[in-house]
Amino acid sequence: MSSAERQLHLNLFILDTGHHEASWRLPESDPLAHIDLAYHQNLARIAEAAAFDSVFLADAPALWGDVGQRPSGRLEPILLLAALAGATSRIGLIATASTSYNDPYNLARRFNSLDHLSGGRAGWNIVTTAGDAAARNFGLEAQPAHAERYERAAEFLEVSARLWDSWQDDAVVADKERGVHALAERVHPIEYAGRFFRVEGALNVPRSPQGHPLLVQAGSSESGKDFAARWAEAVFTAQLTLAEGQAFYADVKRRAAAFGRDPEHVKILPGIVPVIGDTEAEARELEAELDRLIRPEFAQRQLAGLLGLSPEQLPLDQQLPADLPEEELIEGAKSRYTLIVELARREQLTARQLIARLGGGRGHRTFAGTAEQVADTIEEWFRHGAADGFNIMPAVLPSGLEVFAERVVPILRERGLFRTEYTGRTLREHYGLPRPANQFVTA
Amino acid sequence: MSSAERQLHLNLFILDTGHHEASWRLPESDPLAHIDLAYHQNLARIAEAAAFDSVFLADAPALWGDVGQRPSGRLEPILLLAALAGATSRIGLIATASTSYNDPYNLARRFNSLDHLSGGRAGWNIVTTAGDAAARNFGLEAQPAHAERYERAAEFLEVSARLWDSWQDDAVVADKERGVHALAERVHPIEYAGRFFRVEGALNVPRSPQGHPLLVQAGSSESGKDFAARWAEAVFTAQLTLAEGQAFYADVKRRAAAFGRDPEHVKILPGIVPVIGDTEAEARELEAELDRLIRPEFAQRQLAGLLGLSPEQLPLDQQLPADLPEEELIEGAKSRYTLIVELARREQLTARQLIARLGGGRGHRTFAGTAEQVADTIEEWFRHGAADGFNIMPAVLPSGLEVFAERVVPILRERGLFRTEYTGRTLREHYGLPRPANQFVTA
Ligand SMILES: Cc1cc2nc3c(=O)[nH]c(=O)nc-3n(C[C@H](O)[C@H](O)[C@H](O)COP(=O)(O)O)c2cc1C
Ligand SMILES: Cc1cc2nc3c(=O)[nH]c(=O)nc-3n(C[C@H](O)[C@H](O)[C@H](O)COP(=O)(O)O)c2cc1C
């Protein structure tokens, strides 16, 4: 492998017993895995042994969907990653947190703390949180409008960035002789006053190894892509076809350049749900076996909710109603809505068929095939302007991760696409990104 | 040791390189210990090897005091304890969090998550947070009045308790055959609407091993003691003399009984800063050596701030001004204010002398002596109605903890006062407290 060759990035998206919603029903699955530390330690260690860039946990501050359907209720992800920090030493740790239902002082501090605890391995998947359920846990009747949520997110990031820089890197002098621990003139109250937030500062923790956590984002609406282009260093996205993936990739890179950023400093990671068999037929049978375990009445309620319908408006053996609203009118997860509706229309799927398609990846691309075929599709997207890396979303965990690490990763290495061992220490170094300078220091 | 004998409880209060504000200046001290995971893992392991009930971390969501004076800025404590959960297996993990500057949904979830991650070892030191600095990090001009902060705290606890109970213990059935993970009828939205909070619920995590974290409190004002009597299972307190300790102990137990609670279910833990030498003289010399390292101009600013004065109003070699306000007029930490003012008046201390007295324990009792003498005073308070255990606050860490574990703990064991090994699994079991029942289940 030539060291100059562009390298692929791999993130493990951990979700309970796997991304297929029926994975917990398999004999091998522990249905209490989602609240078990040892289970997550094991996953993180497998991913680290394969030199993955990072692991990632999704989140929302509300109970989602049907508690019968699948393991529901999750441990708070920043805490879970703090517990994993001690069990790992190199892999990056990316947690989701909402800008709509947090205070910037507390949240900026928690990511700073995770970065200290992990020696510079923290990442933040910034979300605005769709849905009224979350809003109603925080004193509101309904969620703020989509545009309003993104405006708050923008201000949240402004405040956070200032807090993360409020201690200069050289503020702590630890001069025992003179009895001076830090220099007050190198610690800056931020004195922020905006539309959503007023924060005096400074942060109550010194600057962290990475300066601030790696910023990750996954919004795909217009506001979402602009936000990503302004702030994100890595972008998670759900893309079903190569052409769509290429269009999204080009779009975000162009927007980043328009913000004056180096497009190489925004890494695009589409999701893939790899279902791997010794033959393609075996992989497809694995997939079908999982789909048979989906209980359609649960999935019907969930899909109806996402489309803003009642379950009765969504008969299982008919196609979607013709009069669904336009994306502009959706205040929830706009782009996911569009993706699902377009998929159903394009392939003329009944609700039942759509549910099976979504059961694996909820809109992410499921790819059933041999290890070689999985490596081929990864390489294809990577070489043809659709991806800088992938968000690996195994249908079943831990087995789907183990198979990926044992069979696909070696092929990617042989092709010179993926590292054989870590070359950097911090999460940002894994992604080949520069450490952010401190805005309070001009030198 | 007879198993029927009442047992002492020991909590380690971890603070940077020790509770003496100049401890970081000693040659042995690592001035970056406060942001170092390995340092905290080591302390927790020493305390666990000595079978301490718990470790504890203080907190405020603001930068306190002078950054020059001592290590300042701390890692967010719930996160730090999550990182320690994996490095320990038995010791309890108590984090401070503020009811004034958090949302109950997020915070209740974080303590639930810590309890899951640690297998039932989470505790919450509930504070209302004194001071305007914190308020100004959360959009306010100044802190809410003392009474208002405690009213919010009461409602915060109501909401949290309901959230912690929102999943019945038997809600998760994990029936793979039928494809039902949890029973919706055993998960209860809380539908809370009060003066400070409106929360729909349910929590997005199943009930945790302890049901909810051990509730700890440290307010000593009238409102603080009532709050403790209503909610707290363990109370931290600063008491300088045996007589004061006895009065506080009787007072809180009486208030708990008045709330219909078993007074034995509220454990009172005064703080002690043990400075241990081979002889009493050696211990005193150790203490004096530390006091000489205090920089009086830093301490003067800090003490003035606590008393609501400017540094100029507090000349170092004079006694405190005669016209200090009454406790009723203090909106900050009322009881600590009174304790300090009374100490200065009683012993007719100059500001400089008072600073030396406070440098060790900031109002907690410093006790310099031999291991035998430290064990004697612990036993005395324990047997004479002033303590159910102690909050151990070593002046220097880790050495002060090591000496305590090696020399004082064996004496307490010989006297039948302290366990030789853990007998329980959860934090509440260590403290001899019952697991809370779920309010949604009457059976
Ligand atoms: C891989 C991936 C992970 C996501 N994780 C979360 C999450 O944890 N929490 C959340 O609220 N939204 C999550 N989202 C949703 C996005 O943040 C975003 O809300 C959604 O894609 C709709 O885009 P929009 O907000 O721009 O309309 C995720 C999206 C993707 C593609
Ligand atoms: C051992 C101990 C630890 C404390 N830790 C904290 C803390 O971490 N954060 C905080 O804001 N207050 C802390 N306090 C202060 C108390 O919560 C309380 O505010 C103070 O004793 C004044 O009492 P009052 O609030 O009833 O006036 C602590 C007090 C004691 C005795």
Side-chain angles (χ1 to χ4, degrees):
Chain A
M1 160 189 132
S2 128
S3 68
E5 198 156 357
R6 183 172 158 248
Q7 291 289 292
L8 186 67
H9 301 284
L10 294 178
N11 173 69
L12 170 66
F13 183 168
I14 299 178
L15 186 76
D16 312 332
T17 51
H19 285 267
H20 194 285
E21 68 158 74
S23 57
W24 71 273
R25 295 183 66 186
L26 295 176
E28 72 187 71
S29 294
D30 172 5
L32 296 179
H34 60 309
I35 48 173
D36 184 21
L37 175 57
Y39 172 80
H40 290 89
Q41 285 174 333
N42 180 45
L43 290 176
R45 285 184 186 130
I46 297 170
E48 185 169 74
F52 271 49
D53 296 70
S54 45
V55 297
F56 159 66
L57 297 168
D59 198 48
L63 190 55
W64 260 345
D66 230 304
V67 298
Q69 185 169 2
R70 55 169 298 148
S72 52
R74 309 228 155 74
L75 301 176
E76 198 282 322
I78 314 181
L79 272 183
L80 177 49
L81 293 185
L84 296 184
T88 54
S89 61
R90 301 298 281 273
I91 197 163
L93 306 166
I94 304 175
T96 299
S98 174
T99 53
S100 301
Y101 306 111
N102 277 292
D103 282 302
Y105 197 89
N106 286 338
L107 194 64
R109 182 185 184 204
R110 292 167 65 212
F111 277 108
N112 165 299
S113 296
L114 182 63
D115 205 43
H116 277 294
L117 285 170
S118 62
R121 297 186 284 136
W124 174 16
N125 177 39
I126 307 160
V127 300
T128 59
T129 310
D132 294 332
R136 295 202 194 101
N137 290 332
F138 296 86
L140 305 178
E141 288 287 352
Q143 65 183 334
H146 188 269
E148 169 105 358
R149 294 204 307 277
Y150 272 103
E151 281 160 36
R152 180 178 160 114
E155 198 174 302
F156 201 113
L157 267 284
E158 283 293 344
V159 176
S160 301
R162 289 177 206 206
L163 287 169
W164 288 321
D165 285 352
S166 61
W167 288 64
Q168 293 179 208
D169 289 293
D170 57 0
V172 175
V173 293
D175 185 338
K176 290 184 178 183
E177 200 55 50
R178 291 172 49 236
V180 176
H181 193 271
L183 297 181
E185 64 271 26
R186 296 186 186 166
V187 179
H188 306 276
I190 68 167
E191 311 281 5
Y192 187 91
R195 179 174 155 217
F196 296 92
F197 305 112
R198 290 185 43 197
V199 179
E200 186 175 70
L203 199 61
N204 54 353
V205 202
R207 200 162 192 252
S208 69
Q210 291 191 108
H212 63 243
L214 180 79
L215 301 179
V216 182
Q217 214 264 347
S220 296
S221 63
E222 290 302 303
S223 327
K225 283 186 283 195
D226 274 336
F227 185 90
R230 165 73 184 83
W231 287 105
E233 298 167 277
V235 173
F236 294 150
T237 181
Q239 302 294 334
L240 292 174
T241 66
L242 177 62
E244 286 165 332
Q246 288 166 327
F248 179 85
Y249 186 97
D251 186 6
V252 173
K253 299 268 176 171
R254 191 169 46 235
R255 288 180 204 239
F259 276 105
R261 295 179 62 201
D262 180 345
E264 301 237 327
H265 292 168
V266 187
K267 304 295 180 190
I268 313 287
L269 308 178
I272 183 168
V273 181
V275 181
I276 300 165
D278 285 338
T279 62
E280 197 181 318
E282 191 189 297
R284 290 206 188 284
E285 177 43 36
L286 266 173
E287 199 186 357
E289 189 190 317
L290 277 164
D291 288 346
R292 280 192 294 273
L293 292 174
I294 294 178
R295 283 193 50 184
E297 64 276 29
F298 283 142
Q300 182 184 26
R301 274 210 289 273
Q302 176 171 306
L303 181 60
L306 222 151
L307 300 175
L309 305 173
S310 68
E312 298 73 45
Q313 293 173 290
L314 196 71
L316 279 171
D317 294 305
Q318 292 176 27
Q319 292 189 24
L320 302 192
D323 55 347
L324 290 171
E326 291 299 309
E327 176 176 314
E328 284 72 62
L329 297 172
I330 297 290
E331 291 298 343
K334 279 184 191 290
S335 51
R336 192 63 59 88
Y337 170 84
T338 301
L339 179 149
I340 290 171
V341 173
E342 282 177 1
L343 169 67
R345 297 258 152 86
R346 187 170 57 230
E347 305 191 7
Q348 306 207 331
L349 303 173
T350 64
R352 193 186 299 278
Q353 290 166 329
L354 180 60
I355 284 166
R357 284 295 299 272
L358 296 176
R362 301 182 321 289
H364 285 265
R365 190 163 68 113
T366 302
F367 187 95
T370 63
E372 201 76 28
Q373 287 172 321
V374 171
D376 287 347
T377 189
I378 286 178
E379 179 166 5
E380 184 185 24
W381 285 49
F382 178 65
R383 292 211 189 275
H384 294 95
D388 295 311
F390 279 85
N391 196 10
I392 306 298
M393 304 171 56
V396 185
L397 284 169
S399 61
L401 172 63
E402 283 162 346
V403 174
F404 188 91
E406 280 162 26
R407 302 207 214 158
V408 181
V409 168
I411 302 173
L412 297 173
R413 285 182 178 147
E414 274 163 32
R415 299 183 188 177
L417 297 174
F418 190 60
R419 68 174 75 85
T420 49
E421 54 184 34
Y422 291 106
T423 52
R425 273 269 147 212
T426 68
L427 171 54
R428 220 175 246 109
E429 284 164 8
H430 301 337
Y431 279 98
L433 296 163
R435 183 175 191 267
N438 190 316
Q439 60 191 285
F440 284 109
V441 188
T442 39
Chain B
M1 156 191 137
S2 127
S3 69
E5 199 158 354
R6 181 172 160 250
Q7 291 288 293
L8 186 68
H9 301 283
L10 295 179
N11 173 69
L12 171 65
F13 184 168
I14 299 178
L15 186 77
D16 310 332
T17 51
H19 285 268
H20 195 286
E21 69 157 73
S23 58
W24 72 274
R25 295 184 66 188
L26 295 176
E28 73 186 71
S29 294
D30 172 4
L32 296 179
H34 61 307
I35 48 173
D36 183 21
L37 175 56
Y39 172 80
H40 291 89
Q41 286 174 332
N42 180 45
L43 290 176
R45 285 186 186 130
I46 298 171
E48 185 168 75
F52 272 49
D53 295 70
S54 46
V55 298
F56 159 66
L57 297 168
D59 197 48
L63 190 56
W64 260 344
D66 231 303
V67 298
Q69 184 169 3
R70 54 169 299 148
S72 51
R74 308 224 157 75
L75 302 176
E76 198 281 323
I78 314 182
L79 273 184
L80 177 49
L81 293 184
L84 296 183
T88 55
S89 61
R90 300 300 280 273
I91 197 162
L93 306 166
I94 304 175
T96 299
S98 174
T99 54
S100 301
Y101 306 111
N102 277 291
D103 282 303
Y105 196 90
N106 286 338
L107 194 64
R109 181 185 184 204
R110 292 166 67 211
F111 277 109
N112 165 298
S113 297
L114 182 63
D115 206 43
H116 277 295
L117 286 170
S118 62
R121 298 187 282 136
W124 174 16
N125 177 40
I126 307 159
V127 300
T128 59
T129 310
D132 294 332
R136 294 203 195 101
N137 290 332
F138 296 87
L140 305 176
E141 287 287 352
Q143 65 183 334
H146 188 270
E148 170 105 356
R149 294 204 307 275
Y150 272 103
E151 282 160 36
R152 180 178 160 113
E155 199 174 301
F156 202 112
L157 267 283
E158 283 294 343
V159 176
S160 301
R162 289 176 207 207
L163 287 169
W164 288 321
D165 285 353
S166 61
W167 288 63
Q168 293 180 207
D169 289 293
D170 57 2
V172 176
V173 292
D175 184 338
K176 291 184 177 182
E177 200 55 49
R178 291 175 49 237
V180 176
H181 193 270
L183 297 180
E185 63 270 26
R186 296 186 186 166
V187 179
H188 306 276
I190 68 166
E191 311 281 5
Y192 187 91
R195 181 175 154 217
F196 297 91
F197 305 112
R198 290 185 43 197
V199 179
E200 185 176 70
L203 199 63
N204 53 354
V205 204
R207 200 161 192 251
S208 70
Q210 291 191 110
H212 62 243
L214 180 81
L215 300 180
V216 182
Q217 213 265 347
S220 295
S221 62
E222 290 301 302
S223 327
K225 283 186 284 196
D226 275 337
F227 185 90
R230 165 74 183 85
W231 287 106
E233 299 167 275
V235 174
F236 295 148
T237 180
Q239 302 294 334
L240 292 174
T241 67
L242 178 62
E244 286 165 331
Q246 288 166 326
F248 179 86
Y249 186 97
D251 186 6
V252 173
K253 299 269 177 171
R254 193 168 47 235
R255 287 179 204 239
F259 275 104
R261 295 180 62 202
D262 180 345
E264 300 237 327
H265 293 168
V266 188
K267 306 294 180 190
I268 313 287
L269 307 178
I272 184 169
V273 182
V275 181
I276 300 166
D278 286 338
T279 62
E280 195 181 319
E282 192 189 297
R284 289 204 188 286
E285 179 42 34
L286 265 173
E287 199 186 357
E289 190 190 317
L290 276 164
D291 288 346
R292 279 192 295 273
L293 292 174
I294 294 178
R295 283 193 50 183
E297 65 277 27
F298 283 141
Q300 182 185 27
R301 275 210 290 272
Q302 176 171 307
L303 181 60
L306 220 151
L307 299 174
L309 305 174
S310 68
E312 299 72 47
Q313 292 172 292
L314 195 73
L316 279 171
D317 294 306
Q318 292 176 27
Q319 292 189 24
L320 302 192
D323 55 349
L324 289 172
E326 291 299 310
E327 177 175 311
E328 285 74 63
L329 297 174
I330 296 292
E331 292 299 343
K334 280 185 189 289
S335 52
R336 192 62 59 86
Y337 171 83
T338 301
L339 180 149
I340 291 171
V341 173
E342 282 177 2
L343 169 67
R345 296 258 153 87
R346 187 170 58 231
E347 304 192 8
Q348 306 208 330
L349 303 173
T350 64
R352 192 187 299 278
Q353 290 166 329
L354 181 59
I355 284 166
R357 284 296 299 272
L358 297 176
R362 298 179 326 285
H364 285 264
R365 190 163 68 112
T366 301
F367 187 95
T370 63
E372 200 76 28
Q373 287 172 321
V374 171
D376 287 346
T377 188
I378 286 177
E379 180 167 5
E380 184 185 24
W381 283 50
F382 179 65
R383 291 210 190 275
H384 294 94
D388 296 311
F390 280 84
N391 196 10
I392 307 299
M393 303 170 57
V396 185
L397 283 168
S399 61
L401 171 63
E402 284 163 344
V403 174
F404 187 91
E406 280 163 26
R407 302 209 212 157
V408 181
V409 168
I411 301 173
L412 297 173
R413 285 182 177 148
E414 275 163 32
R415 297 182 189 178
L417 297 174
F418 190 62
R419 67 174 75 87
T420 49
E421 54 184 37
Y422 291 106
T423 53
R425 274 268 148 212
T426 69
L427 172 54
R428 223 177 243 110
E429 284 164 7
H430 301 337
Y431 278 100
L433 296 163
R435 183 175 190 268
N438 190 316
Q439 59 190 287
F440 284 108
V441 188
T442 41

